[in-house]
Structure formats: structure tokens, C-alpha cells
Amino acid sequence: MFRSPKLLHRITLLVVIQAGLLVTSLPAQGAPKRRWTVTATFTGLWVGATQGVAYGPELAIRRDFGPRWGVGLRASLPVLGTDQGAAAIDLGPTVTFAANRAEFGLSGGATGFLVGDQSEFIDGGVGAFVSGHGTAWLTPSLGATAGAEARIAGGGAVYPSLSVGLAVRF
């Protein structure tokens, strides 16, 4: 295959040098940065003085673009426990302050939501939301999370919620 033994020795030397550089450079890079976080929580949403609180699942995904900033998308469907129900989709920027085994995050942005009472539309449409969360990381990729959120309707009504659940980052 190789006509010259010198060429074979040079190629072998290049491969060995590059393999050695790769092995020595890997520990210096540290652990890979985890850029995605998915949370599955159980939420309670206050849907009004006469309607009470609706409970249900909430699923969120966050993509981090640097050490602090990212964007999050959350879908909430608290329809259990009462005749009332609600549905919401939130999208907005996030800022996260992380320590070794914990993080605290804030987000805000646009929300699209519906709040109902016995199949009647009470409030909703497009509005704004603000939220905060805290996560205690049990392992490098699994944590327990709790959060609070307030959705503000176009008419000024505020719908607060609390949630607890699990977070997975990868």
C-alpha cells in the first residue's frame, strides 16, 4: 500500500501525536455544559375567587445559550380537582443563577391562556407572565424543582400558580 517506509513512519507518528494530544486535552476541558433542561411538574393555578384552584400537569423545556441566559417554553394544563380548568403556553427569555448543586431562575414573556368555569370562557387570550424557580440538583442531571408564576391577562386580572416536580438536564 505504501511505497516508502518513511511515509508509513511519518503517518504513524502523526496519528500517535494527535491521539496523545486528544487524551491530554480532554481532562482540561472539564465536564460538558448541559444546555437543555426539561421539567415535569404538578401545578396549582388560582382561577378566580368563585372558581378556586385548578390542578394539573405542566411541562417545560429550557435551552441555555450561555452561562446565564436562555429561552423557555412551558405548557400547563391544570384541569383537575374542580369543574374549572385552564390551559396556558408561555414563551420567554430566562436568566439562571447556578451554584454547584442548586440553581435559581427568573423568566418573563408572552403567554397564551384560557381560564374557564364549567365549560364557559372567563378570561384569557394573550398576556404576559413572570416566574421564578429553584432547583436542587440531586445528581448532575436530575433535580427537584419548585416554582411560582403569575400570568396577567389583557384586562389586568392576575392568575398566580405554584408548581413542584422533577427537572432533567442534558
Side-chain angles (χ1 to χ4, degrees), residues 133-155:
H133 80 274
T135 304
W137 293 105
L138 309 172
T139 71
S141 58
L142 180 67
T145 188
E149 183 167 357
R151 292 180 179 89
I152 300 105

Side-chain angles (χ1 to χ4, degrees), residues 50-125:
T50 60
Q51 293 82 25
V53 177
Y55 301 94
E58 187 171 85
L59 185 64
I61 186 165
R62 184 183 79 219
R63 169 71 161 107
D64 293 328
F65 294 106
R68 294 207 192 289
W69 295 96
V71 66
L73 175 67
R74 177 182 16 247
S76 182
L77 191 60
V79 295
L80 304 172
T82 63
D83 291 338
Q84 322 46 269
I89 297 178
D90 308 322
L91 176 65
T94 65
V95 62
T96 305
F97 305 95
N100 188 20
R101 298 193 46 109
E103 76 177 31
F104 174 73
L106 300 170
S107 62
T111 184
F113 68 101
L114 299 173
V115 177
D117 180 18
Q118 298 175 357
S119 301
E120 289 192 27
F121 177 72
I122 295 174
D123 201 357

Side-chain angles (χ1 to χ4, degrees), residues 7-46:
L7 182 61
L8 177 63
H9 292 304
R10 287 180 186 162
I11 291 174
T12 305
L13 181 62
L14 285 174
V15 169
V16 169
I17 289 172
Q18 288 191 3
L21 289 174
L22 178 64
V23 169
T24 59
S25 67
L26 286 177
Q29 293 176 357
K33 174 71 174 141
R34 299 181 189 277
R35 302 247 181 232
W36 293 92
T37 304
V38 175
T39 60
T41 60
F42 190 76
T43 188
L45 173 69
W46 183 72

